[in-house]
């Protein structure tokens, strides 16, 4: 099999891409490299200096990879830009440094700019075989920015104007295979500074399932519209087959780029679930839920307190889809 495209170092276990630039995005060349690595069984590892940031779509794509972002230099040492774990080169790949028990010092440095809030909505919607895709995503995007997304694409940058019919056509042309796309809302003078989402369309026996992670970046002084969530969920559930939706807040840059340093933990706001995913089932007394249309909404916290994760874990033990 051919070596991954644009790799600076290729070993039987990894492909190393050295990127010394302000922001690394999930462009076509990187998407191709990641595909080649998955096919060959290699891990993709991107090496950058501490001043480099990742775009949000690339950060989301790399979330499931093993030590994908290597930060530092041979003089100062290396660390995982997503977890802060110290790394070293073992001859075949960057791996966890032996004996490391703490975060790397570079991961604990102060951020380069004031930090705002990331308002993250993760939801799943099921569409019939003849339905137009993207409707639920557009509805939620309108709540955040007052307008539909501006663009979409299969890699960064999103060069296509927002057109649900085109996305639907692409997914049907690739029927039988998942289709990944990104969407962008562009800059905003009110509310969030930016809104970016990634979407995986997966064919099912009933049609198409849309799995979305939509993130809005708010400046420090601008609060996200948490209070509007129940109304939004009701609107989406009334128009589409909403399976689940989770909401959380986390510290982050309002431009939605990601620095290789610790900014603070995320915390949950709430979770919505359809009946087939356990919605409406008996839950612990301290996690009262209520029905909104065809789904149940369970408030878990204010998005600031880590105690919300305890309620989340309790809730998930009760919300199990039928076997």
């Amino acid at each position: 099999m051919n070596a991954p495209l644009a790799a600076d170092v290729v070993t039987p276990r990894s492909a190393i891409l050295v990127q010394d630039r302000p922001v690394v995005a999930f462009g076509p060349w990187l998407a191709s490299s990641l595909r080649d690595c998955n096919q060959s069984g290699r891990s993709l590892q991107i090496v950058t200096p501490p001043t480099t940031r990742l775009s949000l779509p690339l950060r989301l794509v790399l979330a499931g990879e093993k030590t994908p972002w290597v930060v530092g230099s041979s003089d100062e040492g290396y660390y995982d830009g997503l977890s802060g774990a110290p790394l070293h080169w073992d001859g075949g790949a960057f791996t966890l440094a032996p004996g490391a028990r703490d975060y790397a010092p570079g991961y604990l440095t102060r951020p380069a700019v004031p930090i705002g809030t990331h308002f993250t909505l993760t939801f799943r919607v099921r569409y019939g075989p003849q339905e137009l895709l993207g409707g639920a995503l557009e509805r939620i995007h309108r709540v955040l920015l007052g307008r539909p997304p501006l663009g979409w694409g299969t890699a960064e940058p999103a060069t296509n104007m927002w057109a649900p019919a085109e996305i639907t056509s692409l997914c049907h042309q690739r029927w039988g295979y998942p289709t990944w796309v990104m969407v962008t809302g562009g800059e905003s003078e009110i509310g969030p500074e930016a809104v970016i989402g990634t979407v995986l369309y997966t064919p099912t026996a009933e049609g198409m399932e849309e799995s979305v992670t939509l993130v809005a970046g708010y400046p420090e002084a601008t609060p996200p519209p948490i209070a509007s969530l129940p109304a939004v969920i009701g609107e989406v559930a009334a128009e589409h087959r909403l399976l689940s939706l989770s909401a959380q807040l986390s510290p982050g840059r309002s431009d939605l780029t990601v620095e290789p340093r610790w900014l603070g933990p995320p915390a949950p706001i709430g979770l919505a679930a359809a009946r087939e995913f356990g919605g409406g089932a008996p839950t612990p007394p301290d996690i009262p839920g209520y029905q909104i249309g065809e789904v149940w909404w369970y408030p878990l916290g204010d998005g600031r307190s880590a105690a919300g994760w305890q309620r989340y874990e309790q809730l998930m033990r009760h919300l199990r889809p039928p076997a």
Side-chain angles (χ1 to χ4, degrees):
M1 184 172 291
N2 294 333
L5 297 177
D8 295 285
V9 177
V10 178
T11 77
R13 291 161 46 209
S14 68
I16 309 300
L17 305 179
V18 179
Q19 295 292 300
D20 187 359
R21 60 179 69 187
V23 178
V24 181
F26 190 56
W29 63 272
L30 212 160
S32 177
S33 294
L34 183 60
R35 257 192 322 270
D36 287 346
C37 283
N38 290 335
Q39 292 172 359
S40 65
R42 296 183 176 95
S43 61
L44 177 69
Q45 297 184 315
I46 302 171
V47 181
T48 76
T51 53
T52 292
R53 291 168 280 137
L54 301 187
S55 71
L56 181 67
L58 179 57
R59 165 69 177 87
L60 295 174
V61 166
L62 295 181
E65 302 294 319
K66 188 176 181 179
T67 58
W69 188 12
V70 181
V71 179
S73 66
S74 57
D75 297 330
E76 301 176 355
Y78 298 95
Y79 65 94
D80 186 334
L82 301 182
S83 73
L87 304 176
H88 79 125
W89 176 254
D90 68 4
F94 285 96
T95 59
L96 297 179
R101 298 181 179 274
D102 204 351
Y103 294 122
Y107 189 66
L108 301 177
T109 58
R110 295 178 62 84
V113 298
I115 296 302
T117 302
H118 287 182
F119 182 33
T120 301
L121 299 175
T122 303
F123 53 96
R124 296 168 61 195
V125 179
R126 190 166 293 161
Y127 295 87
Q130 304 304 319
E131 286 187 273
L132 198 65
L133 304 178
L137 167 60
E138 181 172 322
R139 165 69 72 176
I140 293 176
H141 196 284
R142 285 183 180 275
V143 172
L144 297 175
L145 271 183
R147 62 172 186 252
L150 291 182
W152 72 278
T154 56
E156 292 186 88
T159 55
N160 306 301
M161 296 295 292
W162 175 249
E166 293 180 3
I167 296 174
T168 304
S169 176
L170 174 65
C171 290
H172 281 269
Q173 290 171 18
R174 303 179 61 180
W175 193 265
Y177 299 92
T179 299
W180 181 97
V181 303
M182 67 156 294
V183 298
T184 178
E187 296 182 357
S188 171
E189 295 181 357
I190 59 173
E193 181 178 327
V195 177
I196 294 176
T198 61
V199 192
L200 185 66
Y201 290 102
T202 306
T204 69
E206 300 179 27
M208 190 76 69
E209 188 166 294
E210 178 181 76
S211 301
V212 183
T213 298
L214 193 65
V215 185
Y218 288 83
E220 185 177 12
T222 305
I226 296 175
S228 67
L229 271 176
V232 174
I233 291 168
E235 292 176 9
V236 174
E239 299 176 5
H240 305 281
R241 190 174 174 185
L242 179 65
L243 304 180
S244 63
L245 181 148
S246 64
Q248 68 176 35
L249 297 183
S250 58
R253 291 174 59 117
S254 57
D255 65 2
L256 296 182
T257 59
V258 181
E259 296 185 26
R261 54 186 47 84
W262 173 248
L263 299 180
I269 298 167
L271 176 71
R275 183 180 296 276
E276 63 189 284
F277 285 88
T283 58
D286 60 338
I287 310 178
Y290 55 92
Q291 189 171 0
I292 304 176
E294 298 299 318
V295 301
W296 278 258
W297 171 244
Y298 301 92
L300 297 173
D302 59 3
R304 307 290 182 183
S305 171
W309 289 120
Q310 298 176 0
R311 289 189 286 273
Y312 175 84
E313 292 175 359
Q314 285 182 287
L315 179 63
M316 292 307 294
R317 286 196 288 268
H318 291 261
L319 300 185
R320 298 296 184 191

